[in-house]
Amino acid sequence: MESNATYHGELFADCPSLERVLIGPNVEIIPDSIFRYCKPLLKVDMGANVKEIGEDAFYQCSSLTSIELPDGLTTIGGRALSGCTGITEIQLPKSIKSIGPSAFDAVPITEIVLPAGLENFADIDVVSAFKNCTKLTKVVSYIKQPYEISLYAFEDETFRNGWLYVPVGTLSLYKSMQYWSKFKNIVEMDDNTGISGIHIDGNTNVSIYNLS
């Protein structure tokens, strides 16, 4: 893909033979639905200057096993990677601002890091970006001023069995939020990712080690 061409939504949708996509350095927007249902797609070389991934852009690309999101990416549209069940790891760049509903629906990631500048991923009135991410057990949030999220921001398994890591000094803020506080296990970390405090609900067994 190059910026001197015009690409329309669904241009490569349901392509039966597309296995690799190279996105040029001048492309800033990946259009809605452009690679939707490209089930044979194995690899995407993401351009360094992509700022936005459109809705349904890689919807149900089930053979895709990894995708590197570039620094400078600010927006991931709804269902952009929904159904990409071959992907087990997502690294969000620090530049990300907004992630749309069901963006990672059913993607079997086990952990996710939420950058400090993330402004939206689970609004009260919309479906969460992490719908059906039932394997997600570790959420690291660098958001220092937590905002209210949806009851469905994470699956029940994540709230119940997962661990939420939050910046030092914010434990009480997260615990005061209606749905962030659904996490049974909340860990406060310092700027060097060391642990300074733990909040645990329920009957979780925890071993505490003094690292010095």
Side-chain angles (χ1 to χ4, degrees):
M1 293 178 63
E2 293 291 348
S3 62
N4 59 356
T6 300
Y7 299 97
H8 301 285
E10 301 187 14
L11 179 62
F12 302 106
D14 205 19
C15 183
S17 58
L18 185 64
E19 294 185 355
R20 183 173 182 179
V21 172
L22 175 62
I23 298 174
N26 296 318
V27 174
E28 295 189 355
I29 298 175
I30 298 177
D32 296 351
S33 302
I34 189 166
F35 301 112
R36 188 181 64 171
Y37 287 119
C38 285
K39 294 186 181 296
L41 182 61
L42 298 171
K43 184 174 177 60
V44 175
D45 294 305
M46 189 75 70
N49 295 309
V50 172
K51 302 292 191 295
E52 178 180 341
I53 299 176
E55 293 185 356
D56 299 297
F58 298 99
Y59 181 81
Q60 294 290 334
C61 292
S62 54
S63 296
L64 192 62
T65 57
S66 66
I67 188 164
E68 185 173 347
L69 303 177
D71 294 335
L73 180 71
T74 62
T75 304
I76 300 174
R79 301 170 304 280
L81 291 162
S82 175
C84 293
T85 52
I87 294 177
T88 57
E89 181 179 2
I90 294 288
Q91 294 186 1
L92 298 174
K94 292 181 179 180
S95 55
I96 197 72
K97 298 293 184 184
S98 177
I99 306 175
S102 300
F104 306 118
D105 187 357
V107 177
I109 54 174
T110 58
E111 62 181 82
I112 193 71
V113 176
L114 306 177
L118 181 60
E119 298 172 354
N120 170 38
F121 74 95
D123 278 353
I124 297 297
D125 297 325
V126 299
V127 176
S128 170
F130 303 105
K131 178 184 178 184
N132 294 320
C133 292
T134 57
K135 296 183 182 296
L136 185 59
T137 57
K138 180 179 180 181
V139 178
V140 179
S141 175
Y142 285 100
I143 301 169
K144 293 185 177 180
Q145 293 293 327
Y147 39 81
E148 194 55 87
I149 57 175
S150 166
L151 168 63
Y152 307 106
F154 301 98
E155 294 298 318
D156 286 341
E157 293 91 338
T158 302
F159 280 127
R160 184 172 59 251
N161 302 317
W163 289 77
L164 171 64
Y165 296 79
V166 301
V168 65
T170 65
L171 182 60
S172 60
L173 290 175
Y174 278 85
K175 286 171 59 178
S176 70
M177 307 299 285
Q178 184 176 8
Y179 297 124
W180 281 113
S181 63
K182 283 190 65 181
F183 275 93
K184 299 299 183 184
N185 310 305
I186 305 177
V187 176
E188 190 174 82
M189 57 187 178
D190 65 23
D191 292 337
N192 296 314
T193 68
I195 296 173
S196 62
I198 299 177
H199 166 71
I200 299 172
D201 288 335
N203 299 314
T204 305
N205 293 322
V206 177
S207 297
I208 303 297
Y209 297 91
N210 182 14
L211 303 179
S212 60

